[in-house]
Amino acid sequence: QAVEKQLKICGFKRNVDVLVLYLAGQGLRSIPSLSQFHRLRYLWINNNKIQDLSFLIKNYCLTELYLNNNELTDVSGALKHLRALQILLLHNNQLKKLGKTVKELKGMISLQTLNLFHNPLAQDPDYRLRVIYLLPSVQLLDRKSVTQRERESALHLYSRERSCVVQSVAFGKRVNTPLGTTVGSSRCTQPARRLMMPSGCEFGNHTNKVPFENPEDAVLLRAMTRSLMEFSSVDWNKVATCQERRLENKAEEPHEKLTVQFR
């Protein structure tokens, strides 16, 4: 009856025209299947007494789903097919198992806004970081924006090996050096061989009027004309943030930096 009442209020004559359905605050304990509204995108069922979500089994087009303030204890098997969801509000329910709940939401690659507060699962240690790590698309969690600092902390906490790889990424740039300069790493360098080029040698058009007497000179010349790349790597875990520098009020120590050059 609640569904039929809403359809009359909105003036919908065909099920295919129903994109929005508002069923909030009507004391509903159960809802019949909404599979006939296969284009439904926005659904409000908040402030009811819903305990089961089986009525959503065919609504693949949902982008916003408001389930807050109900009596849900488990969402396993009820939401994972809603891949287009962008907003999902589940706060003020009775969800207890964080692992099962997050697993149900992992396929929602477009999910940006998620509320899970005022559920027993929100009392778990590191609850927020765990959700941020397992649901990387979420930008707003429990009405609070997810920061880059939180993403880094979550990655370091739940995937230490991957975090080390990210922290070791180096930055590269091209270095303009004249012919005959030293090539190698900052730790181990060897003096470059002195190159004697014959007169009449042209480089731009790939023609050498006078060949090299020593073939090794030709090979060395070709190597020396290539671009020289320089990469520097810093352990970012040891670099203090702006906030840490302000709070500790300490002079910043020089960072250990490894620089490698190669052609």
Side-chain angles (χ1 to χ4, degrees), residues 10-207:
C10 298
F12 293 125
K13 296 182 179 180
R14 300 185 307 167
N15 291 338
V16 72
D17 297 327
V18 180
L19 302 180
V20 181
L21 201 55
Y22 188 84
L23 300 173
Q26 301 192 38
L28 303 177
R29 293 185 178 275
S30 62
I31 295 178
S33 174
L34 301 177
S35 59
Q36 68 270 30
F37 309 120
H38 59 269
R39 294 182 60 190
L40 186 64
R41 296 188 62 186
Y42 311 98
L43 180 59
W44 282 264
I45 320 177
N46 52 294
N47 298 87
N48 284 295
K49 300 179 180 180
I50 302 297
Q51 299 180 354
D52 179 45
L53 298 177
S54 58
F55 56 89
L56 295 173
I57 195 65
K58 297 291 185 179
N59 301 105
Y60 301 103
C61 295
L62 277 173
T63 58
E64 297 184 14
L65 181 56
Y66 302 88
L67 294 169
N68 49 296
N69 298 291
N70 277 289
E71 298 178 1
L72 296 170
T73 57
D74 189 10
V75 295
S76 299
L79 301 176
K80 61 183 177 182
H81 61 288
L82 304 178
R83 300 297 182 92
L85 267 186
Q86 299 177 10
I87 298 177
L88 177 60
L89 304 190
L90 282 166
H91 57 279
N92 287 328
N93 277 282
Q94 299 299 320
L95 301 175
K96 299 177 181 179
K97 297 182 179 180
L98 178 60
K100 292 180 65 175
T101 301
V102 174
K103 183 179 180 181
E104 184 71 15
L105 309 182
K106 285 192 69 174
M108 302 177 183
I109 58 176
S110 300
L111 188 61
Q112 298 180 7
T113 301
L114 175 65
N115 280 0
L116 290 172
F117 63 91
H118 290 171
N119 279 287
L121 57 77
Q123 303 301 320
D124 286 15
D126 300 316
Y127 145 76
R128 184 174 174 87
L129 291 182
R130 187 175 179 185
V131 175
I132 290 173
Y133 173 71
L134 294 175
L135 303 176
S137 65
V138 174
Q139 305 293 327
L140 189 66
L141 177 60
D142 294 344
R143 300 176 180 174
K144 182 181 177 183
S145 296
V146 177
T147 65
Q148 182 61 30
R149 186 74 174 181
E150 286 178 318
R151 295 193 188 279
E152 293 173 358
S153 299
L155 183 64
H156 183 71
L157 181 62
Y158 291 102
S159 183
R160 190 176 299 272
E161 182 176 337
R162 184 181 172 193
S163 175
C164 292
V165 172
V166 173
Q167 295 293 344
S168 66
V169 173
F171 297 90
K173 64 178 180 179
R174 178 171 178 171
V175 182
N176 295 321
T177 56
L179 199 63
T181 56
T182 302
V183 180
S185 68
S186 59
R187 291 187 174 181
C188 181
T189 59
Q190 296 179 355
R193 176 182 169 187
R194 186 175 180 81
L195 180 65
M196 300 299 295
M197 292 181 290
S199 59
C201 183
E202 298 181 3
F203 304 101
N205 56 4
H206 302 285
T207 60

Side-chain angles (χ1 to χ4, degrees), residues 241-256:
T241 63
C242 295
Q243 184 178 7
E244 290 173 344
R245 287 197 294 265
R246 287 197 301 268
L247 293 177
E248 295 178 4
N249 196 22
K250 295 180 180 179
E252 188 175 1
E253 299 179 358
H255 309 302
E256 297 181 3

Side-chain angles (χ1 to χ4, degrees), residues 194-230:
R194 186 175 180 81
L195 180 65
M196 300 299 295
M197 292 181 290
S199 59
C201 183
E202 298 181 3
F203 304 101
N205 56 4
H206 302 285
T207 60
N208 293 329
K209 293 182 178 179
V210 181
F212 287 92
E213 295 182 0
N214 187 350
E216 293 183 1
D217 290 340
V219 174
L220 182 60
L221 176 63
R222 183 180 179 86
M224 295 299 291
T225 54
R226 293 174 181 169
S227 300
L228 178 66
M229 298 300 298
E230 179 182 283

